Amino acid sequence: MASLNLSSLCAALPSVSTGPSVCFSHRQASTALKFPVLKSGPRPLNSYVGLAPSHTVSLNRDFSGHSFLLPSIDNGGRVSAMRHGRKVPKLNRPPDQRRALLRSLTTQLLKYGRIKTTRARASAMRKYVDKMITLAKDGSLHKRRQALGFIYEKQIVHALFAEVEERYGDRDGGYTRIIRTLPRRGDNAPMAFIELV
């Protein structure tokens, strides 16, 4: 068995060369795509070739004088990762608008007892309604102030704290019920009623 060294391994690998300059020439003016002509001369572009060091491929002008350079394409440097284990329903809104929406829906459900909304919003607001009822079952001043900080209307908080013990005193959770209904007309969004049990 022959001994292998670094120089023999490098010689066995295919060499990566820049090759001839890549150039796109414009032959037919009526059918071909027109790219902007850059007046500053050749521009190097970085090219990725596996694990080999990066070489530059230059786009030069052709000898015919009718060649054009392609502009470089950049995605803005954004890296998107998969959201494994992140169970926050985004509801197509930024965080501040999403919190305001969930507070408003919770306030309306506690005010009217039953509202109609989309299924995603109903299932997202369910835990906040249950939390407000759990705070009201405790009944302390600190829990009342926490509920006042979340629910928009003060009268709803005081009414909730007054009558929650007789309505949900023996129930340990599951204070809401989601009933599916027909999709919304116009965009066919799945709709549901959410109501207090």
Side-chain angles (χ1 to χ4, degrees):
M1 183 172 181
S3 65
L4 298 175
N5 56 11
L6 186 60
S7 62
S8 64
L9 286 175
C10 290
L13 290 174
S15 63
V16 178
S17 63
T18 59
S21 62
V22 179
C23 181
F24 297 95
S25 63
H26 180 66
R27 299 192 186 244
Q28 296 177 351
S30 61
T31 60
L33 295 174
K34 295 182 180 180
F35 297 105
V37 178
L38 299 178
K39 301 188 188 319
S40 63
R43 182 172 54 167
L45 294 175
N46 292 330
S47 63
Y48 176 73
V49 284
L51 298 176
S54 63
H55 299 280
T56 58
V57 176
S58 62
L59 300 175
N60 292 330
R61 291 179 182 251
D62 195 31
F63 55 87
S64 64
H66 292 291
S67 57
F68 300 92
L69 300 177
L70 288 175
S72 64
I73 299 171
D74 187 15
N75 68 349
R78 293 178 304 189
V79 178
S80 60
M82 295 183 184
R83 302 181 66 246
H84 294 298
R86 299 182 186 176
K87 305 217 181 257
V88 176
K90 291 207 165 195
L91 302 177
N92 292 326
R93 278 168 174 74
D96 55 343
Q97 294 178 19
R98 182 168 58 240
R99 180 169 171 81
L101 174 71
L102 292 171
R103 287 179 66 187
S104 174
L105 288 171
T106 303
T107 303
Q108 295 302 309
L109 180 62
L110 292 174
K111 183 176 184 178
Y112 296 109
R114 179 177 185 173
I115 60 172
K116 182 179 182 181
T117 183
T118 61
R119 260 189 245 164
R121 290 177 185 176
S123 58
M125 69 177 283
R126 173 182 254 178
K127 76 174 191 175
Y128 296 102
V129 175
D130 288 354
K131 182 175 181 178
M132 291 302 114
I133 294 175
T134 305
L135 290 177
K137 284 175 74 173
D138 188 340
S140 65
L141 179 61
H142 176 61
K143 303 296 182 183
R144 186 180 293 260
R145 286 177 175 164
Q146 282 182 327
L148 283 168
F150 189 83
I151 297 173
Y152 282 130
E153 298 181 23
K154 189 195 303 188
Q155 295 83 11
I156 295 174
V157 175
H158 296 315
L160 178 67
F161 272 70
E163 62 188 41
V164 75
E165 195 60 41
E166 62 186 33
R167 186 168 179 181
Y168 300 114
D170 55 348
R171 186 179 282 268
D172 290 333
Y175 307 114
T176 55
R177 179 185 298 124
I178 294 177
I179 303 165
R180 296 182 177 190
T181 184
L182 295 174
R184 183 164 57 197
R185 190 176 172 191
D187 62 349
N188 204 28
M191 301 295 287
F193 285 102
I194 181 167
E195 62 184 13
L196 295 174
V197 175

